[in-house]
Amino acid sequence: MAPAPSIPKAAFWMALSIASFLAMSVAGRTATAALNVFQVLELRSVIGFFILLPLVMTSGGFKAMRTERPLAHVARNVVHYAGQAAWLYALTLIPLAVLISIEFTTPIWTAILAVSFLRERLSRPRLTAIVLGLIGVVIIVRPGVGSVDPGHLVVLGAAMCFGVSVVMVKSLTRTDSVVRIIFWMLIIQSVVGLVPALYVWRNPSVELWPSIFLVAFTGMSSHFCMARALSHADATVISPMDFLRVPLSALIGWLLYSEHIDVFTAGGALLILAGNLLNLQRKAPPTAEAEAAVS
């Protein structure tokens, strides 16, 4: 039985999701300052697997995790792994608020890919959202005005990878459960990242382990809490709450790292968020909970 709609409960779970995302950003920046991105990703996947195990056991055990679409899982997770690596690397290059702002273009790339590969209809609100999002990116990146910050391009690539991943997840949810998708995500990404992680491996210091565990835990909790929020309210209610990550990340960047946001970044972020709000005017898809849990 689905949980009863409740805005207060949805807001509670969404607040936990936002807190998890922000904590992961801070912990990720600390971890990647001392360790290579590939090692951080490997530790995140391995630790995350053990965090997920209790849920796997209560969902039918390992037998219930069998899938008839292993190649689809592999393809999705190779793309998702590339996106995660780019996102973590971008944490070391640009301010948090800029990173989060450009990351919010993920729904734009998802919409473009959904129209191209899932044959979804390109409505006027969706087309307007895509145009606003692209203009917002141009304003933030400002190509042709001086040199383009490589960090902008890295996180833009990450957002595109996440968009591809979401489209693949939409397909996977037709046959596989959310727990099964997350299970194979952690397994496949652990295997994919093992060799590069071992190549750059450094023994983490004792002081670094709390940040590593926090990255692993919040990597799971952020999406789990968002899924719970979506079980109590529609995406049209939840997604605007998620936009709070932009000003909150700017505040954290200012308090912890003395980062400042210029008027171009603020204006571009507003256009990207406005595009997302327009995109939410259409009815949220039934797989929204699954997408939030694994994207």
Side-chain angles (χ1 to χ4, degrees):
M1 183 180 297
S6 172
I7 299 299
K9 289 182 179 179
F12 170 76
W13 285 108
M14 199 58 211
L16 291 181
S17 177
I18 292 172
S20 294
F21 274 118
L22 295 175
M24 182 171 59
S25 299
V26 175
R29 176 168 284 189
T30 301
T32 52
L35 300 175
N36 188 278
V37 167
F38 294 118
Q39 183 175 350
V40 174
L41 278 176
E42 185 67 15
L43 290 168
R44 177 184 184 271
S45 295
V46 172
I47 296 172
F49 175 78
F50 287 102
I51 295 174
L52 184 69
L53 270 182
L55 190 56
V56 171
M57 294 300 110
T58 58
S59 301
F62 292 114
K63 289 184 178 179
M65 298 299 108
R66 292 177 179 173
T67 179
E68 297 179 355
R69 304 175 65 189
L71 293 181
H73 281 280
V74 170
R76 181 257 165 174
N77 281 292
V78 168
V79 174
H80 192 241
Y81 180 88
Q84 287 183 312
W87 189 89
L88 279 173
Y89 180 54
L91 270 177
T92 68
L93 300 175
I94 57 177
L96 281 176
V98 177
L99 182 146
I100 300 299
S101 298
I102 298 178
E103 182 195 348
F104 267 108
T105 62
T106 295
I108 307 299
W109 311 119
T110 301
I112 293 173
L113 291 165
V115 170
S116 302
F117 296 102
L118 298 180
R119 297 182 180 178
E120 293 188 5
R121 188 171 62 89
L122 184 61
S123 61
R124 182 174 297 177
R126 176 176 275 182
L127 179 60
T128 305
I130 291 172
V131 172
L132 286 176
L134 293 177
I135 294 174
V137 170
V138 171
I139 291 175
I140 294 175
V141 177
R142 299 196 297 282
V145 182
S147 58
V148 176
D149 192 321
H152 293 164
L153 301 180
V154 171
V155 73
L156 188 60
M160 291 179 178
C161 287
F162 292 150
V164 174
S165 176
V166 170
V167 172
M168 290 181 169
V169 166
K170 281 188 175 184
S171 175
L172 284 170
T173 52
R174 296 169 184 168
T175 56
D176 291 351
S177 68
V178 173
V179 175
R180 186 184 298 166
I181 293 172
I182 297 176
F183 174 84
W184 285 109
M185 177 187 78
L186 296 172
I187 292 289
I188 294 170
Q189 292 191 19
S190 294
V191 174
V192 169
L194 181 60
V195 172
L198 290 177
Y199 183 76
V200 297
W201 189 270
R202 293 177 56 189
N203 291 329
S205 63
V206 174
E207 296 80 9
L208 202 58
W209 278 107
S211 294
I212 294 171
F213 276 103
L214 190 58
V215 168
F217 179 77
T218 53
M220 301 287 293
S221 64
S222 55
H223 297 297
F224 174 80
C225 291
M226 185 179 287
R228 290 298 301 269
L230 284 163
S231 70
H232 292 288
D234 291 339
T236 51
V237 176
I238 296 303
S239 290
M241 297 181 191
D242 193 32
F243 296 161
L244 287 172
R245 278 200 286 146
V246 175
L248 288 175
S249 63
L251 178 61
I252 290 174
W254 177 66
L255 290 174
L256 297 184
Y257 311 111
S258 300
E259 296 175 349
H260 298 281
I261 302 302
D262 59 32
V263 65
F264 294 101
T265 299
L270 287 174
L271 282 176
I272 292 170
L273 299 187
N276 278 301
L277 285 172
L278 279 175
N279 199 35
L280 288 169
Q281 297 306 309
R282 62 191 181 88
K283 186 177 179 181
T287 57
E289 180 176 336
E291 291 170 33
V294 296
S295 65

